[in-house]
Amino acid sequence: MTQIIGQILSEDELAHRELIRKDRTKRTVLNSFNGDRSEIMSCHKEPLAYGNDARMVLGYDALVNEAGDFIVPASDQYHIIDHKAFIGDFEALLAKGSLTISEQETKLSENHSRLWSRYWLDGHNVDVQPGDTVRLGFQIRNSYDGSSGVQIGLVAQRLVCSNGMTRTGVTGERFYRKHTGELDPDLMSNWMATASETFADWMNSLGTLGEIQVTPDYFKSIFTVPEKLDSEDLALSLGADADTLRRLRSIPERSRKAILQEWSVTGGESGWDGYNAITAIASHNTKSVNVSERLEKAAESFAQLVQVTH
């Protein structure tokens, strides 16, 4: 039985806050993992009690990892999908499709409640622009703490500078399942069968970005909130989608400034230059996986925006 004490754990409020901060960090911060798959911890349910008198909590269980660390309370309807089982099913599908891995990168939170991994495919490099090659791969995610369902997505990396890219925004381009039942490998297999065509469409789409001219003023207007623009909202006046602009302008100001600086330093002139300015910040200027992925998604939004308006 896992018991949550319903009293402040310390009379010192600052010490209590620090305890909460450390617990959150233990669950949320993703760290590089270089161990064997067998070392990845599973998770199980235990009865949940609350307070000094250990009152049972009906309808909820405690999720606990193999080390005995409490992760989160969860509804008794929540179905645990084991990290190792998910990885095994996914890698079996890669083998079935004769896809070999050239490199793999895995990150886990300290208590293993969150899993993130990227698989780079051997022999699947594409020249998107003359002399500019990207390699293709897959990204998977899973969690025990409810922060994420089971996910498989398409990723690419620009080899000349290691910028990461994530394919987002189109229905069917990401496999996603909630923790409501067993993970069906057949559903994963059906989705994987569409990956080759989706990769091709994505690379063709990126290939057109080099043909789209983007002026410095236009690029600046895309990443500047209206109240800080020196003149009219150029992007909006040229037909940019308002919702897409709001998403791009909602990126933290620090990241937007870094993107504009990267564009300026590299002498950006095209949609491809803009795309790479964003992915450069996503890959090299942040330690947070979540922030990095948000910027990779922003690069896709930017690509869609300039393709439509040009």
Side-chain angles (χ1 to χ4, degrees), residues 235-276:
L236 196 60
S237 69
L238 291 177
D241 179 72
D243 289 337
T244 303
L245 274 180
R246 276 194 291 271
R247 288 198 298 272
L248 291 172
R249 290 168 175 174
S250 69
I251 295 170
E253 184 176 13
R254 179 179 178 181
S255 295
R256 286 187 281 115
K257 287 183 176 179
I259 290 167
L260 292 173
Q261 177 66 16
E262 180 71 15
W263 165 271
S264 176
V265 168
T266 57
E269 296 179 343
S270 69
W272 180 241
D273 295 333
Y275 189 94
N276 287 314

Side-chain angles (χ1 to χ4, degrees), residues 176-188:
Y176 185 87
R177 287 295 178 273
K178 296 181 179 180
H179 290 81
T180 54
E182 295 288 343
L183 182 61
D184 186 347
D186 288 339
L187 293 178
M188 293 171 56

Side-chain angles (χ1 to χ4, degrees), residues 61-130:
D61 297 302
L63 299 185
V64 181
N65 67 16
E66 289 182 59
D69 295 328
F70 169 72
I71 298 176
V72 289
S75 164
D76 54 15
Q77 302 299 312
Y78 180 86
H79 186 87
I80 297 171
I81 296 177
D82 183 76
H83 291 333
K84 286 178 283 193
F86 172 39
I87 292 172
D89 287 343
F90 175 70
E91 292 182 354
L93 289 175
L94 293 179
K96 182 179 178 182
S98 299
L99 298 172
T100 56
I101 302 304
S102 62
E103 186 181 346
Q104 180 187 357
E105 177 188 7
T106 298
K107 294 179 183 287
L108 285 163
S109 57
E110 185 179 338
N111 64 0
H112 292 200
S113 62
R114 300 185 183 186
L115 165 75
W116 177 97
S117 188
R118 284 187 170 178
Y119 292 77
W120 299 109
L121 300 176
D122 187 29
H124 284 70
N125 295 351
V126 177
D127 291 329
V128 177
Q129 304 289 335

Side-chain angles (χ1 to χ4, degrees), residues 129-147:
Q129 304 289 335
D132 209 338
T133 304
V134 302
R135 63 174 177 172
L136 307 181
F138 292 96
Q139 175 178 298
I140 65 172
R141 268 185 178 270
N142 188 37
S143 76
Y144 297 147
D145 64 5
S147 61

Side-chain angles (χ1 to χ4, degrees), residues 33-40:
F33 175 79
N34 299 312
D36 186 78
R37 185 197 305 172
S38 63
E39 299 174 37
I40 299 177

Side-chain angles (χ1 to χ4, degrees), residues 18 113 133 196 207 210 286 289:
E18 178 64 11
S113 62
T133 304
S196 178
T286 177
V289 169

